[in-house]
Amino acid sequence: MEQFNTLLKAAECAVTRCNSWNFATSNDRYDVKGLLVLAKTSDSENPIDEDSFYVVSPAGAIGLCEDGEDIDWLFLTGSSTDEDLPATLQTASQIKFCSKCGNGIILGARFCGACGVKLN
Ligand SMILES: [Zn+2]
């Protein structure tokens, strides 16, 4: 779970992971170009506080963390709407990554959901 100070930086990371997003609170959909344009506009019109930051999930969803703990998911990935997004950063920090393929793994999982490798 990477952290970024601007939505544009977060979007630039997210576009390397998937190529369409749904806005969490509406049915608006964004492609790569649309997301980057929106991120630029948002950063210039509505910059976040110094102690806030954006996070990007392993699949490319973008969230805003305002208090260093709770995550407000803003953009959900269009391809994997079932992604199990953590509600807080503390949960997120417990996510491990598969040693074989690098996919994010929920704590306690016995197999990687992406490549199927058995986990220790
Ligand atoms: Zn894997």
Side-chain angles (χ1 to χ4, degrees), residues 7-12 14-15 18-23 28-43 62 74-76:
L7 184 53
L8 183 58
K9 284 271 192 297
E12 284 171 350
V15 299
C18 71
N19 54 26
S20 72
W21 295 264
N22 298 314
F23 198 59
D28 293 348
R29 291 181 67 88
Y30 299 90
D31 60 10
V32 167
K33 202 176 157 202
L35 185 76
L36 292 173
V37 168
L38 183 83
K40 257 185 221 170
T41 309
S42 172
D43 284 336
I62 301 174
L74 307 174
F75 297 95
L76 309 176

Side-chain angles (χ1 to χ4, degrees), residues 21-108:
W21 295 264
N22 298 314
F23 198 59
T25 54
S26 74
N27 290 323
D28 293 348
R29 291 181 67 88
Y30 299 90
D31 60 10
V32 167
K33 202 176 157 202
L35 185 76
L36 292 173
V37 168
L38 183 83
K40 257 185 221 170
T41 309
S42 172
D43 284 336
S44 61
E45 290 181 355
N46 185 26
I48 54 171
D49 299 335
E50 261 177 46
D51 47 358
S52 300
F53 51 86
Y54 292 99
V55 295
V56 176
S57 79
I62 301 174
L64 173 63
C65 188
E66 286 184 298
D67 58 4
E69 190 172 331
D70 298 322
I71 301 173
D72 243 341
W73 291 100
L74 307 174
F75 297 95
L76 309 176
T77 58
S79 49
S80 58
T81 45
D82 293 341
E83 189 186 10
D84 197 4
L85 293 169
T88 68
L89 209 59
Q90 277 158 356
T91 318
S93 65
Q94 292 177 356
I95 290 181
K96 293 180 177 176
F97 294 93
C98 174
S99 56
K100 188 179 172 199
C101 73
N103 184 57
I105 290 157
I106 310 292
L107 197 70

Side-chain angles (χ1 to χ4, degrees), residues 98 101 112 115 117:
C98 174
C101 73
C112 172
C115 72
V117 74

